[in-house]
C-alpha cells in the first residue's frame, strides 16, 4: 500500500522522502544525448507532459473506529482522499463496488477501511483478499500486518505457505490473502476445512481486477461464483445471482449487514474502460463504480523512443527472409539495457519492464556487464525479476528493491501491479505492453512518492510499436480499453461446472448463478459421463477432482534442472516449453546462460548445463487451420468478413541459431516435438481473385501480399482488442480449401477463444485501416520488422510483398462498411 499517497497536504504529517533525483526533463535530456537516433539524430519521436495534480481530501467516515484511525496515523495517513472515502462508504453500506483510479492513488485504503473496520467491530467476521500475483499479496500482507490491529491476524495462504502453517491460518486468521489459483485448487475443494471462515465471510477483495481478462478472467469469474456458492451454503442463505443480491444500504454510522447476506465484493482496478460492467461480469453481481481520482500526482514526462538504425555492413546481401537487405534498427532489448545502465550509473533508481522472461534476463545481464566495465561492482546493483524463480529468490529481490540495495531492475509484468515501489525515478518500457491500461500502469511505477517521474516507451522493431511512436495520438488523450472476458465460453464454463459439482452437487439455482450457457454445459457433462443427474441435482461421478488450469498454461509446470547437480533452477509453463526449453535452446537464469540438453514432456523436466555460447536460439513453428463453423459474416461484394470457430494444428519444427553480436543466422536445426491442437475462435476475411487482379496484385504476389497483411494485422490488433500479439495467431493462404478464396485468418490462441477475435470483427474497419497505414507509412522498400515482418513467423518471413499488401487492404477497406458489421447473417 502506498501510504504516502494518502497523506493530506497541510495535514501536519509529511511522508518520508529520499533526496530528490534529477528532474524528469533533465534525465530525459541526459539519456537522449547518449544515443544518435533517426535522420535528425534524436531517438525521441514525441514527448508528452502530464502535469502535476493536487489532491482532494474527505473527512473520515464516522464508522471508522479510533484504533484503525490511530494505526493509519502512525503510518502517516491523516485523512483519506475523496475517492477512497467514497468507495469505502459504498462497501461498508453493503454495496459491491469497484474503484478504478490511477496508479499510486491509494486504492488499497478504499478496501482496507471497510474490511478492517468490520473485523474490529465484529470479532467473528472474516475477509478474503485475492491478488493475481504472490508478490502483490505479500506486499499487502506487509501493509496490513504493519497496522498491528488486535485480533485481525492477517496471513498469506498460497503455494509458498509451509504446510505446518496452513492449519493455523484456516483456524485463526481473519484476513486471509491469497490468489485465484489457490482459491481454485486449495480452498474451494477443501471448503469443509474452511467452513468457519466462509460462514463468517463479510468481504471479498479482488485487487487489480483489470488483469482478469481473456480466458484467465473467464475462469476467475467462475471461481468467484463458486466462492459465492460455498459462502451462501455455509451462511445458510439462498443462492444470490442477480440484482436481488444487493445488500440494503446501512444507515450512516451503523454497522453493515451481518454475515447472513452474501459477502460484499470490493474490487480495485487500474483506470479502465467501463469498469462497472467488467466487474459485474467478473462477479455476477451489480457493482457501483468509483472512477474520479482525487489523489495528488507528481508531473510525468513520457517519451516515445525509437532505437536508431544500424549502419549497413558491407556484404550484407540478404535478410533472414531471403529479401533484399532492409535497414535494421537496434534492438529494443539492447537499447533498453543501455538506457538502464546509463540511468543506474547516474544514481537514478530505474525499473525496466520487458515482455518476456528471456528479455528480462538479457536486459539485466547486459546492463550488469556494461556497469561492471565502467565501475567494477556497480553491476551488482542491477537484477532481473520474473516468474519461474524460486520463492527465496523472489523474496530476496523484493527486499533488495524495497531497501534500495538495487538501483535497477529488469522485470516482466510481475511487478506491473500494485507492489509498493516508493522512490523510483524512471521507468523504461521495452516494447508496447499490449494495452494502454498496462502502459499507464507500468509508467505509474515511477514517482510514487509524489516527485516528478520519467517514463520512456522504447519501441520494438515491429508494426505496432512503430505505428505508435509515430502516432502518439493513439496513446495519449484516449480512454483506456475495457477489460474483455467471456464467462459463457463453453471451454471455460464446462470445466468450472465440473469443479463446482465436485465440491457439492449442482442445483437448478446454481445454474442461474453460473449464467448463460450453464444448462447446455451441464447437459454436455451428463452426456459425457462426468455428471449424473438425480432428483436433487447433478453429481460428480469420479473419485478425483477435475484438473482445470486457470491460466491456460497447459498443465503442471516444466522444471528446469541443472543436469550435473540436480539443482532446480526454476519452472516454465507447459504451453511455452516447446519454444523456451526445446533441445538445444539457450535458457537464461539470473544472467547465467544454460543450454538445454533434453526436454522430457512426460515427466515435465528440462535438463540443462551451464554454457556461454555466442549465439541465441529462435524456434520456428508451422500451422494449419480448418473452419468448423461460421457464427456471423458480412457480405461486402468481392470481400467477406467472417467470425467463427476453427481448428488449429501447430508444431515447433526447428530453431535458428543467430550470432548475438550481429544477428547473423548460423544455421537452422530440426526438432522432433509433438503437434498441438486448438479449437478456438477466429476472424477472417476473403478477397476475390478478380478484385485483387483489378487492384494490380499479380497472381504470383498474392501469397506474399496476404502473408504481409496477416503479419501487420496481428501486430495492430491490440489497438482494438485488449490483447497481446502473443495471445493471437494467424494464417494466410492464396486459396484456402474451406473458403475457396484468398484468405487471411487471425485467431485467439486460447481454447474456446478469449474474445479478441470478436473485438476484431466488430472493429474490422478501424483495425484494418490502422494496419494499412502502418505498412504504407513505413519508409522501407520491401518490408521490415517495423511493418510486415513478424518475430514469430514459422515460415521465416517468406514470402512477403509489402506494396501488394497495401493494395489487398485497400480492396478490403473499399468494400467493408465503415462501422461495425451492419448486414450480418447470423448462423
Amino acid at each position: 500500500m502506498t501510504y504516502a499517497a494518502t497523506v493530506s497536504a497541510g495535514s501536519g504529517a509529511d511522508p518520508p522522502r529520499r533526496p530528490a533525483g534529477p528532474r524528469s526533463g533533465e534525465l530525459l535530456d541526459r539519456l537522449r544525448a547518449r544515443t544518435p537516433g533517426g535522420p535528425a539524430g534524436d531517438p525521441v519521436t514525441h514527448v508528452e507532459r502530464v502535469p502535476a495534480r493536487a489532491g482532494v481530501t474527505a473527512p473520515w467516515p464516522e464508522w471508522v473506529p479510533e484504533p484503525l484511525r490511530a494505526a493509519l496515523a502512525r503510518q502517516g495517513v491523516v485523512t483519506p482522499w475523496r475517492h477512497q472515502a467514497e468507495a469505502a462508504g459504498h462497501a461498508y453500506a453493503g454495496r459491491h463496488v469497484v474503484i478504478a483510479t490511477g496508479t499510486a492513488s491509494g486504492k488499497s485504503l478504499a478496501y482496507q477501511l471497510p474490511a478492517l473496520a468490520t473485523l474490529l467491530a465484529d470479532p467473528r467476521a472474516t475477509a478474503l483478499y485475492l491478488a493475481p500475483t504472490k508478490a502483490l499479496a505479500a506486499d499487502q500482507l506487509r501493509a496490513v500486518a504493519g497496522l498491528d490491529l488486535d485480533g485481525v491476524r492477517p496471513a498469506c495462504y498460497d503455494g509458498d505457505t509451509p504446510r505446518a502453517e496452513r492449519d493455523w491460518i484456516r483456524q485463526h486468521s481473519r484476513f486471509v490473502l491469497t490468489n485465484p489459483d489457490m482459491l481454485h485448487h486449495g480452498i474451494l475443494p477443501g471448503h469443509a476445512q474452511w467452513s468457519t471462515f466462509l460462514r463468517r465471510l463479510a468481504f471479498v477483495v479482488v485487487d487489480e481486477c483489470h488483469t482478469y481478462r481473456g480466458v484467465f478472467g473467464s475462469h476467475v469469474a467462475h471461481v468467484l461464483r463458486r466462492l459465492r456458492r460455498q459462502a451462501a451454503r455455509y451462511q445458510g442463505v439462498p443462492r444470490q445471482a442477480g440484482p436481488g443480491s444487493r445488500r440494503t444500504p446501512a444507515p450512516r454510522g451503523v454497522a453493515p449487514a451481518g454475515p447472513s447476506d452474501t459477502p460484499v465484493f470490493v474490487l480495485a482496478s487500474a483506470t479502465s474502460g467501463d469498469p462497472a460492467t467488467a466487474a459485474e461480469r467478473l462477479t455476477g453481481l451489480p457493482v457501483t463504480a468509483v472512477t474520479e481520482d482525487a489523489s495528488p500526482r507528481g508531473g510525468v514526462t513520457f517519451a516515445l523512443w525509437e532505437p536508431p538504425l544500424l549502419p549497413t555492413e558491407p556484404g550484407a546481401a540478404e535478410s533472414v527472409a531471403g529479401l533484399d537487405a532492409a535497414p535494421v534498427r537496434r534492438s529494443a532489448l539492447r537499447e533498453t539495457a543501455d538506457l538502464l545502465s546509463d540511468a543506474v550509473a547516474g544514481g537514478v533508481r530505474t525499473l525496466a519492464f520487458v515482455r518476456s522472461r528471456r528479455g528480462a534476463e538479457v536486459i539485466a545481464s547486459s546492463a550488469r556487464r556494461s556497469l561492471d566495465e565502467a565501475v567494477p561492482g556497480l553491476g551488482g546493483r542491477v537484477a532481473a525479476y520474473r516468474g519461474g524463480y524460486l520463492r527465496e529468490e523472489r523474496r530476496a529481490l523484493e527486499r533488495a528493491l524495497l531497501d534500495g540495495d538495487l538501483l535497477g531492475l529488469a522485470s516482466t509484468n510481475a511487478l506491473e501491479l500494485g507492489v509498493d515501489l516508493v522512490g523510483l525515478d524512471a521507468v523504461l518500457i521495452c516494447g508496447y505492453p499490449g494495452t494502454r491500461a498496462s502502459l499507464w500502469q507500468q509508467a505509474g511505477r515511477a514517482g510514487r512518492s509524489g516527485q516528478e517521474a520519467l517514463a520512456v516507451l522504447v519501441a520494438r522493431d515491429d508494426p505496432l510499436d512503430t505505428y505508435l511512436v509515430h502516432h502518439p495520438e493513439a496513446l495519449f488523450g484516449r480512454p483506456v480499453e475495457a477489460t474483455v472476458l467471456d464467462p459463457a465460453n463453453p471451454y471455460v464454463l464446462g470445466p468450472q461446472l465440473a469443479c463446482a459439482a465436485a465440491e457439492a452437487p449442482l442445483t437448478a439455482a446454481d445454474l442461474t448463478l453460473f449464467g448463460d450457457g450453464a444448462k447446455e454445459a451441464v447437459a454436455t457433462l451428463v452426456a459425457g459421463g462426468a455428471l449424473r443427474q438425480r432428483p436433487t441435482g447433478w453429481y460428480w461421478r469420479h473419485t478425483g477432482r477435475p484438473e482445470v488450469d486457470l491460466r491456460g498454461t497447459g498443465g503442471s509446470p516444466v522444471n528446469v534442472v541443472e543436469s550435473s547437480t540436480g539443482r532446480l533452477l526454476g519452472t516454465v509453463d507447459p504451453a511455452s516449453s516447446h519454444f523456451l526449453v526445446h533441445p538445444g535452446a539457450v535458457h537464461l537464469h539470473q544472467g547465467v546462460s544454460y543450454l538445454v540438453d533434453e526436454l522430457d514432456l512426460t515427466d515435465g523436466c528440462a535438463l540443462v548445463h551451464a554454457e556461454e555460447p555466442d549465439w541465441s536460439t529462435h524456434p520456428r513453428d508451422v500451422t494449419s487451420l480448418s473452419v468448423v463453423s461460421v457464427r456471423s459474416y458480412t457480405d461486402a461484394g468481392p470481400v467477406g468478413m467472417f467470425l467463427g470457430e476453427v481448428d488449429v494444428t501447430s508444431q515447433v519444427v526447428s530453431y535458428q541459431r543467430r550470432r548475438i553480436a550481429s544477428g547473423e543466422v548460423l544455421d537452422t536445426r530440426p526438432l522432433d516435438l509433438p503437434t498441438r491442437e486448438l479449437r478456438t475462435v477466429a476472424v477472417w476475411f476473403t478477397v476475390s481473385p478478380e478484385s485483387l487482379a483489378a487492384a494490380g496484385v499479380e497472381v504470383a504476389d498474392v501469397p506474399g501480399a496476404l502473408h504481409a497483411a496477416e503479419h501487420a494485422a496481428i501486430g495492430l490488433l491490440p489497438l482494438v482488442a485488449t490483447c497481446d500479439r502473443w495471445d493471437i495467431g494467424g494464417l494466410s493462404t492464396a486459396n484456402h480449401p474451406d473458403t475457396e478464396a484468398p484468405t487471411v485468418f487471425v485467431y485467439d490462441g486460447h481454447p474456446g477463444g478469449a474474445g479478441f477475435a470478436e473485438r476484431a470483427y466488430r472493429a474490422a474497419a478501424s483495425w484494418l485501416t490502422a494496419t494499412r497505414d502502418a505498412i504504407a507509412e513505413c519508409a522501407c522498400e520491401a518490408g521490415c520488422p517495423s511493418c510486415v515482418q513478424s518475430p514469430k513467423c514459422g515460415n521465416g518471413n517468406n514470402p512477403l510483398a509489402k506494396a501488394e499488401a497495401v493494395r489487398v487492404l485497400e480492396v478490403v477497406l473499399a468494400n467493408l462498411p465503415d462501422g461495425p458489421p451492419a448486414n450480418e447473417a447470423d448462423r
Side-chain angles (χ1 to χ4, degrees), residues 285-361:
L285 295 163
V287 177
T288 300
V290 174
T291 59
E292 187 174 343
D293 191 341
S295 65
R297 181 185 63 198
V300 178
T301 298
F302 205 131
L304 304 183
W305 186 292
E306 186 173 44
L309 292 169
L310 294 174
T312 303
E313 296 183 10
E318 293 186 345
S319 70
V320 174
L323 303 172
D324 291 339
V328 177
R329 293 198 177 276
R330 198 164 187 263
S331 79
L333 289 177
R334 291 177 60 188
E335 192 79 350
T336 304
D338 283 355
L339 291 172
L340 178 61
S341 60
D342 284 353
V344 170
V348 178
R349 294 187 64 188
T350 306
L351 178 62
F353 281 108
V354 61
R355 298 160 64 100
S356 69
R357 295 180 178 187
R358 177 186 177 87
E361 295 282 0

Side-chain angles (χ1 to χ4, degrees), residues 2 4-5 15 17 52-53 104 296-299 422-423 446-453:
T2 309
R17 296 278 296 266
R53 179 186 64 206
R297 181 185 63 198
V422 175
R448 289 174 66 90
S449 292
Q451 73 263 28
E452 285 197 9

Side-chain angles (χ1 to χ4, degrees), residues 59-353:
W60 285 110
E62 296 177 7
W63 45 262
V64 178
E66 182 56 36
L68 180 54
R69 293 192 198 187
L72 291 169
R74 289 193 296 271
Q75 299 286 350
V77 184
V78 180
T79 54
W81 304 118
R82 185 175 59 196
H83 65 279
Q84 295 171 324
E86 181 183 353
H90 283 300
Y92 195 78
R95 290 183 288 272
H96 310 292
V97 63
V98 57
I99 179 170
T101 53
T103 306
S105 60
K107 290 185 287 286
S108 53
L109 188 66
Y111 55 73
Q112 288 179 0
L113 280 179
L116 295 175
T118 300
L119 267 57
L120 290 174
D122 180 359
R124 295 165 55 86
T126 60
L128 182 68
Y129 169 92
L130 298 173
T133 65
K134 294 177 182 178
L136 179 55
D139 184 72
Q140 286 296 300
L141 176 62
R142 286 190 291 268
V144 177
L147 296 174
D148 194 24
L149 297 172
D150 186 41
V152 173
R153 299 185 293 275
C156 269
Y157 190 91
D158 58 31
D160 292 337
T161 305
R163 294 283 175 182
E165 295 180 13
R166 297 189 179 189
D167 286 341
W168 183 93
I169 293 172
R170 284 192 293 264
Q171 295 172 17
H172 300 291
S173 176
R174 298 175 58 222
F175 196 112
V176 172
L177 301 97
T178 187
N179 53 64
D181 307 86
M182 180 55 79
L183 182 60
H184 164 65
H185 288 293
I187 295 175
L188 290 174
H191 57 82
Q193 295 177 297
W194 290 86
S195 59
T196 301
F197 184 90
L198 293 171
R199 186 178 301 117
R200 300 170 177 176
L201 185 60
F203 286 93
V204 176
V205 176
V206 184
D207 204 357
E208 305 289 359
C209 66
H210 63 282
T211 62
Y212 300 124
R213 61 180 178 87
V215 171
F216 178 44
S218 302
H219 273 295
V220 172
H222 288 299
V223 171
L224 295 180
R225 286 160 175 77
R226 287 162 50 200
L227 171 64
R228 290 175 51 206
R229 177 176 179 247
Q230 292 302 331
R233 289 181 68 238
Y234 285 107
Q235 294 177 7
V237 297
R239 303 287 187 273
Q240 316 264 341
S245 64
R246 186 190 297 271
R247 285 188 180 183
T248 301
R252 183 176 178 86
V254 177
S260 62
D261 289 324
T262 184
V264 174
F265 279 74
V266 187
L267 301 96
S269 170
T271 303
S272 64
D274 200 3
T277 298
E280 288 173 353
R281 297 189 77 183
L282 188 63
T283 62
L285 295 163
V287 177
T288 300
V290 174
T291 59
E292 187 174 343
D293 191 341
S295 65
R297 181 185 63 198
V300 178
T301 298
F302 205 131
L304 304 183
W305 186 292
E306 186 173 44
L309 292 169
L310 294 174
T312 303
E313 296 183 10
E318 293 186 345
S319 70
V320 174
L323 303 172
D324 291 339
V328 177
R329 293 198 177 276
R330 198 164 187 263
S331 79
L333 289 177
R334 291 177 60 188
E335 192 79 350
T336 304
D338 283 355
L339 291 172
L340 178 61
S341 60
D342 284 353
V344 170
V348 178
R349 294 187 64 188
T350 306
L351 178 62
F353 281 108

Side-chain angles (χ1 to χ4, degrees), residues 757-777:
E758 284 92 337
R759 283 294 181 98
Y761 180 73
R762 291 197 296 268
S766 59
W767 167 41
L768 296 179
T769 297
T771 302
R772 178 201 59 193
D773 292 347
I775 302 174
E777 293 172 4

Side-chain angles (χ1 to χ4, degrees), residues 483-498:
T483 302
V484 178
L485 66 151
D486 180 16
N489 182 337
Y491 289 84
V492 173
L493 180 54
Q496 286 292 332
L497 285 169

